[in-house]
Amino acid sequence: MTNAVLHAQLRSACLSLKHPITDEQITALGTYLELFIKWNKVYNLSAIRDLEGIIVKHLLDSLVVAPLIEGQRFIDVGTGGGLPGIPLAICFPDRHFTLLDSAGKKTRFLFQVKQTLSLDNVQIENCRVETHQPETLYDGVISRAFASLKDMTDGCHHLIHENGVFWAMKGVFPDHELSEIEKHYKVENSFPLQVPGLNEQRCLVVLKKEKPI
């Protein structure tokens, strides 16, 4: 597949999103996909191998939250191959994204992406989440790969400031997971998500710690 065909498919797919994406960002997203596909053959970044699946189930599944997230500093925990952090960093060059993963082969890939695309708004951390101690706390923790909401809130509470939030990207609405989290966390909002080309349930759950009265 030529770059022109890939970019044409990307442009068509992104038109159905509710967030405007420039031609320069389409080009950057295309370069990211090319690197992802190349490295995936050796590093097993994803079990999804076909281009359409990667575009829909990874790229669009990441970008669908773009109109919803608020803040300037985010950390993508368990980012894997950079999802959703890299696509969001491309679309929001004025916001900062830290991408954290404990797997060295995945962060090596992310360093290559950062260098190739000159993503000055991206920081990469190869460590376990409990050992990461940021100098400046984040506005939000975002993740589409965390095991449960309890793991997310228990393991990442030290990363956000007092008004920070958790942006949890999920499939079906996680009623059972919500029943397991600490009582001082509340659902500030939840959004059903429609990923273009994907006939599966998706939602974004926004959690925030209640302040003591």
Side-chain angles (χ1 to χ4, degrees), residues 7-123:
H7 291 179
Q9 283 193 225
L10 267 178
R11 185 172 288 104
S12 175
C14 289
L15 281 175
S16 53
L17 293 170
K18 296 179 180 179
H19 183 79
I21 298 178
T22 67
D23 287 343
E24 290 78 10
Q25 289 167 345
I26 291 287
T27 299
L29 290 169
T31 300
Y32 168 60
L33 281 189
E34 291 166 17
L35 289 169
F36 190 97
I37 292 166
K38 177 182 177 181
W39 283 62
N40 196 29
K41 295 174 183 176
V42 179
Y43 280 65
N44 295 317
L45 302 172
S46 169
I48 301 172
R49 301 290 177 172
D50 64 292
L51 177 61
E52 183 178 356
I54 290 173
I55 290 177
V56 172
K57 294 185 177 181
H58 284 327
L59 190 67
L60 297 183
D61 193 51
S62 295
L63 290 175
V64 74
V65 301
L68 302 172
I69 60 171
E70 300 174 351
Q72 289 298 314
R73 286 178 48 80
F74 300 88
I75 180 165
D76 174 9
V77 177
T79 185
L83 300 158
I86 291 293
L88 292 175
I90 290 170
C91 289
F92 295 110
D94 57 334
R95 303 185 189 184
H96 180 273
F97 293 84
T98 295
L99 278 53
L100 183 146
D101 204 281
S102 60
K105 65 180 182 180
K106 293 178 179 176
T107 53
R108 284 193 291 275
F109 164 68
L110 297 175
F111 275 114
Q112 180 64 51
V113 172
K114 174 181 168 70
Q115 183 178 34
T116 301
L117 297 179
S118 300
L119 294 175
D120 295 333
N121 62 330
V122 168
Q123 177 181 335

